[in-house]
Amino acid sequence: MPTTVISGFTHNFLGKAPVWYKQVILLFLAVNPIVMYTLGSGTAGWLLIAEFIFTLAMALKCYPLLPGGLLAVEALLIGLTSPEAVYLEVLTNFPVILLLMFMVAGIYFMKELLLVTFTQILVGVRSKSALSLLFCSAAALLSAFLDALTVTAVIISVAVGFFSVYHKVASGKGYQHADHNTSSDEEVIELHREDLENFRAFLRSLLMHGAVGTALGGVTTMVGEPQNLLIAKVVGWDFAGFFMSMAPVSLPVLVAGLFTCWALEKLRWFGYGGRLPKPVRRVLEEFADNERAKRTKADQAALWVQAAAALILVAGLAFHLAEVGLIGLLVIILITSFTGITDEHQIGKAFQESLPFTSLLVVFFAVVAVIHDQHLFKPIIDYVLSLPASQQPGMFFIANGFLSMISDNVFVATVYISEVKQALDAGAISVEHFRDLAVAINTGTNLPSVATPNGQAAFLFLLTSAVAPLVRLSYGRMVVMAFPYTVVMSGVGLYMVINHI
């Protein structure tokens, strides 16, 4: 514990982050002004980008909003950009902020419907290959219309719930037992230990299939990922236009991804193929039946309301009846009004998942403002645009893919689409070629980013969730399990970008 006020400050700075991490961030903050005034704003800008990518890559040590926000504030103070430039970036991308604020919160109120859906899939399908395909396909379909983070959250909720149920039984308790520590195996009966480990392997593979499914579906539509809407707004695509433009790349990748899911379960490679032990299945089926019997008429009515809201959501997006974020707000109003959710604090919980990332996105825009004001990416963009036109989409796909593996794909997409738009405005490229490059940027940031938890918000969310330690899903294991998907999705995506757009 701190013994002086000074030690209290050092203890409080960035909370529970490792001491070495705190020291590195302080070093960044100390060095940036020196570099700015000795080596110039261009060098300082590139250093800031490297530092910001470091905070994204180290997201497990500290949420990037805090260190990244400090770097962005310092960039404003030393003159790398201005508050007006940051505000302009935020204003330009306001539809994306609306999406995160209201669409994610709207889908939060559909969780019961999604939980019932995934529960029925898990309990009702006995073939592991078919079950994995269904999980992956359902996650892909839902992520194309809903929010990938919420879909991932639902899958996590199902996994945590079922793991808790069996862990209690394996510890000699009833699944209704309230006071139980699922993170400790000390009370697990020796007879059940092997089944418990097999159940962990089973859940790990399902969680990874589901997370990859959110990436497969997320690339296809303008609401699948935050950067999709940003790109769609810059290019001028509506929902149908975005889908049709991405289809030559996204649909072959979807087929290849689903085939990979099936093959991994059959071959049992890279940690996949774990089967659900029969004793575990009996416990879960009994639990699901018990939950179904407890469902009241009011609960059933709420599920019907959520299903109706889901149909309205899909129709609103497909026909572009309003801005995406406003459709999300409509979903919030409809579901809360007709399911009896009237308490302000109860409604406020829906916004807890989205607002931290929304705040981080504004910090992204501050860094993008630095890039624009200092023209940092102009030489890179000029070089790529000097290549033959047929090579440019592939180069953009590769560049975006590599950066998205180590940092956040929303940040990477924001930077590249903004720079290419400037090239279009300057008359360096045609509108048709600009659209081809937009396809390459969108697919390049969405597909290869599954390689690590740093690139995909859904993967990072899974890694930092309560279920990861329960099923022994570590950073390294996620990278290994994602590897075959990364190779297939990136390879097929790059081939289609080069040859079919």
Side-chain angles (χ1 to χ4, degrees):
M1 292 294 292
T3 55
T4 66
V5 174
I6 298 299
S7 63
F9 275 117
T10 57
H11 178 268
N12 291 341
F13 179 67
L14 298 184
K16 296 181 180 179
V19 173
W20 67 263
Y21 182 87
K22 298 180 182 183
Q23 292 171 342
V24 168
I25 298 301
L26 288 173
L27 178 65
F28 289 165
L29 295 172
V31 165
N32 287 339
I34 299 172
V35 173
M36 172 72 177
Y37 295 115
T38 57
L39 301 178
S41 59
T43 304
W46 277 112
L47 181 61
L48 178 77
I49 293 173
E51 293 166 351
F52 188 66
I53 289 176
F54 171 82
T55 66
L56 296 174
M58 294 289 108
L60 291 178
K61 304 299 181 185
C62 179
Y63 190 62
L65 172 64
L66 313 180
L70 290 174
L71 292 171
V73 170
E74 185 179 62
L76 288 166
L77 293 175
I78 63 178
L80 285 175
T81 188
S82 65
E84 293 77 17
V86 176
Y87 177 72
L88 182 61
E89 288 292 336
V90 173
L91 195 61
T92 303
N93 297 290
F94 187 63
V96 183
I97 295 175
L98 275 181
L99 165 73
L100 289 171
M101 287 175 61
F102 294 132
M103 185 62 80
V104 175
I107 306 310
Y108 173 89
F109 292 108
M110 291 186 186
K111 275 190 175 181
E112 288 79 9
L113 178 65
L114 298 175
L115 279 168
V116 169
T117 302
F118 278 103
T119 298
Q120 290 306 311
I121 292 174
L122 197 152
V123 174
V125 180
R126 293 183 175 273
S127 166
K128 179 62 186 307
S129 300
L131 177 62
S132 298
L133 269 177
L134 274 173
F135 249 69
C136 193
S137 302
L141 178 63
L142 290 169
S143 295
F145 291 96
L146 310 179
D147 170 69
L149 280 179
T150 304
V151 175
T152 306
V154 169
I155 296 174
I156 289 170
S157 298
V158 173
V160 169
F162 278 141
F163 182 83
S164 175
V165 165
Y166 184 70
H167 198 277
K168 290 175 184 177
V169 173
S171 301
K173 304 171 182 176
Y175 55 73
Q176 303 91 346
H177 194 88
D179 185 21
H180 179 72
N181 182 15
T182 54
S183 61
S184 172
D185 289 351
E186 290 184 4
E187 298 181 20
V188 174
I189 300 169
E190 193 64 35
L191 182 65
H192 294 296
R193 286 188 180 272
E194 184 178 352
D195 285 340
L196 183 63
E197 289 306 314
N198 290 334
F199 189 33
R200 281 192 169 109
F202 172 85
L203 288 178
R204 273 199 307 270
S205 59
L206 277 188
L207 287 165
M208 285 301 295
H209 289 314
V212 170
T214 64
L216 289 170
V219 71
T220 59
T221 68
M222 64 186 282
V223 297
E225 293 283 349
Q227 70 267 27
N228 297 17
L229 182 59
L230 187 150
I231 292 171
K233 290 300 177 184
V234 172
V235 180
W237 283 319
D238 59 11
F239 190 88
F242 185 96
F243 175 81
M244 295 305 297
S245 298
M246 297 298 157
V249 181
S250 62
L251 295 187
V253 169
L254 175 62
V255 173
L258 293 177
F259 176 78
T260 303
C261 173
W262 175 84
L264 288 172
E265 286 300 327
K266 289 295 184 184
L267 298 172
R268 303 192 181 194
W269 289 353
F270 297 95
Y272 292 98
R275 287 351 189 211
L276 182 64
K278 289 182 179 179
V280 180
R281 175 177 289 281
R282 285 195 294 269
V283 172
L284 299 186
E285 287 175 341
E286 181 184 342
F287 173 74
D289 290 340
N290 186 61
E291 289 296 299
R292 193 181 303 113
K294 284 165 47 179
R295 200 172 294 141
T296 65
K297 295 299 181 182
D299 294 332
Q300 294 174 19
L303 291 176
W304 280 106
V305 169
Q306 292 173 34
L311 293 176
I312 293 171
L313 171 64
V314 172
L317 293 174
F319 295 104
H320 199 65
L321 300 179
E323 193 61 61
V324 172
L326 297 181
I327 296 174
L329 180 58
L330 171 64
V331 168
I332 294 173
I333 293 169
L334 290 176
I335 295 180
T336 53
S337 298
F338 289 95
T339 56
I341 301 173
T342 57
D343 183 74
E344 178 185 359
H345 298 290
Q346 197 175 0
I347 295 172
K349 291 179 181 178
F351 295 88
Q352 290 179 354
E353 291 179 7
S354 61
L355 287 183
F357 189 74
T358 304
S359 304
L360 179 59
L361 195 64
V362 174
V363 175
F364 286 173
F365 296 147
V367 178
V368 172
V370 172
I371 292 170
H372 287 171
D373 285 357
Q374 303 303 324
H375 307 288
L376 299 180
F377 273 62
K378 192 175 186 303
I380 300 173
I381 300 297
D382 289 346
Y383 168 72
V384 175
L385 295 180
S386 70
L387 298 172
S390 60
Q391 296 180 19
Q392 293 174 19
M395 287 297 295
F396 271 105
F397 183 96
I398 293 170
N400 281 269
F402 176 74
L403 276 177
S404 294
M405 288 180 185
I406 59 175
S407 66
D408 188 89
N409 54 8
V410 180
F411 172 65
V412 176
T414 303
V415 171
Y416 273 92
I417 195 63
S418 301
E419 292 295 319
V420 174
K421 180 62 163 60
Q422 288 187 348
L424 173 68
D425 294 339
I429 56 176
S430 66
V431 174
E432 183 178 354
H433 189 55
F434 170 63
R435 289 174 178 167
D436 290 343
L437 295 182
V439 173
I441 291 169
N442 183 68
T443 53
T445 53
N446 272 291
L447 300 176
S449 58
V450 301
T452 70
N454 306 105
Q456 284 275 355
F459 276 54
L460 185 61
F461 184 50
L462 173 59
L463 182 62
T464 55
S465 70
V467 77
L470 297 182
V471 300
R472 310 295 189 258
L473 187 60
S474 63
Y475 187 101
R477 182 167 268 168
M478 282 190 75
V479 171
V480 170
M481 295 182 78
F483 178 75
Y485 279 114
T486 305
V487 172
V488 172
M489 291 164 64
S490 301
V492 174
L494 179 59
Y495 176 82
M496 299 307 293
V497 164
I498 292 174
N499 294 284
H500 295 282
I501 65 168

